[in-house]
Amino acid sequence: MSVDHMISVTDLKKHYNDGSIKAIDGISTTIDKGEVVVIIGPSGSGKSTFLRSLNLLEKPSSGTIEFEGTDITSQKTDINKLRMKMGMVFQHFNLFPHLTILENMTLAPIKLLKVPKADAEKQAKELLAKVALQDRANAYPSQLSGGQKQRIAIVRALCMNPDVLLFDEPTSALDPEMVGEVLEVMKELAKSGMTMIVVTHEMGFAREVGSRVIFMDEGKIIEEGTPEQIFNSPKNERLKSFLAKIL
């Protein structure tokens, strides 16, 4: 397999209970640099399990995942080193409550990348300005709204200068009026050329920002294509019924 693709997934499976539950059931796909791949599908279709497998937060039962030419499913791979290049943004913001926003953002670059504290703080402040939260650098997470915390979680991931960002339903825990501010940040990131893989229920985002949409059900990729193809001329009956319910 060549390094043409940033991520190459081959026949990926994740089974539980001795194979009786097939969370992921034979997924093969590739993701290229600069793509915004949006994964949609009903609850329990394996979307989050698939996303979390890409940086081995879920250990696949079988199959391979290559990231920038390295087989990350190999025992020999230093996954922690590779994870530094894969930013992850979860549903719940996972900010350290006892640290200020600035400390939350600079902790990993200083500890893991050995970035000098002054440089890490300068970058963090520049990123905070990009999400209009520069005045919250010395605040604590408890003093922020859910939308603000999620914007912080995104720029915190960016502090590590990752090659790809993985988003696991980043807006599903937010009040409806806060969803827009987080999606806005994600749109700006997509425009800047960041490679993104996004599991979401936000069909407007998928349609507007995705370069490719993957529809999953029962642990399989049922259909994938451009937003135009998926939303305007779906071929698969399961996808048609899913879209009929949510659009």
Side-chain angles (χ1 to χ4, degrees):
M1 207 173 274
S2 69
V3 193
D4 294 350
H5 303 295
M6 181 181 271
I7 298 172
S8 297
V9 179
T10 310
D11 199 23
L12 196 69
K13 293 178 182 172
K14 174 68 178 180
H15 296 170
Y16 298 99
N17 291 6
D18 297 328
S20 63
I21 298 171
K22 297 178 168 62
I24 310 177
D25 196 19
I27 285 182
S28 297
T29 191
T30 58
I31 288 143
D32 293 333
K33 188 173 164 51
E35 265 198 300
V36 178
V37 176
V38 183
I39 304 172
I40 63 169
S43 292
S45 57
K47 307 182 298 291
S48 288
T49 306
F50 172 53
L51 188 82
R52 292 164 65 89
S53 299
L54 295 178
N55 63 1
L56 295 201
L57 285 178
E58 290 279 358
K59 279 251 162 81
S61 305
S62 63
T64 58
I65 302 163
E66 287 195 9
F67 173 60
E68 296 182 338
T70 301
D71 178 2
I72 67 170
T73 44
S74 158
Q75 297 282 313
K76 301 186 189 104
T77 301
D78 179 352
I79 187 59
N80 290 325
K81 200 170 169 193
L82 279 174
R83 274 195 192 127
M84 290 185 206
K85 296 180 175 183
M86 304 173 104
M88 181 103 193
V89 179
F90 300 90
Q91 276 179 27
H92 299 284
F93 332 107
N94 298 3
L95 298 172
F96 294 110
H98 62 291
L99 299 180
T100 66
I101 295 311
L102 193 63
E103 288 164 344
N104 262 288
M105 291 178 68
T106 56
L107 184 68
I110 292 169
K111 280 219 151 76
L112 300 175
L113 299 180
K114 308 291 183 238
V115 175
K117 187 178 177 195
D119 294 354
E121 288 187 348
K122 181 172 180 279
Q123 183 195 23
K125 285 174 179 169
E126 284 167 3
L127 286 167
L128 281 174
K130 282 191 174 168
V131 294
L133 289 172
Q134 59 272 40
D135 58 337
R136 309 302 275 158
N138 297 316
Y140 287 88
S142 61
Q143 297 169 299
L144 272 57
S145 71
Q148 288 173 325
K149 285 182 205 168
Q150 195 58 295
R151 278 145 64 196
I152 296 294
I154 294 170
V155 288
R156 178 184 58 178
L158 290 174
C159 281
M160 293 293 285
N161 298 313
D163 293 347
V164 59
L165 276 182
L166 311 176
F167 292 87
D168 189 8
E169 301 196 19
T171 57
S172 64
L174 298 178
D175 292 337
E177 68 267 26
M178 292 174 183
V179 169
E181 63 191 58
V182 172
L183 291 179
E184 210 44 57
V185 171
M186 292 169 66
K187 284 177 195 173
E188 287 305 314
L189 271 179
K191 277 186 204 155
S192 76
M194 172 59 78
T195 309
M196 294 161 63
I197 307 166
V198 185
V199 169
T200 186
H201 294 289
E202 299 293 334
M203 296 302 139
F205 177 84
R207 183 173 258 175
E208 186 187 338
V209 185
S211 44
R212 180 156 49 107
V213 178
I214 290 176
F215 172 68
M216 283 183 66
D217 192 30
E218 295 184 346
K220 296 182 187 319
I221 291 178
I222 305 294
E223 193 168 332
E224 59 182 308
T226 63
E228 169 84 5
Q229 289 165 332
I230 293 293
F231 291 107
N232 297 350
S233 45
K235 297 183 187 70
N236 183 276
E237 288 308 318
R238 182 69 189 91
L239 172 56
K240 286 178 190 172
S241 76
F242 173 76
L243 292 173
K245 287 194 186 93
I246 59 163
L247 292 181

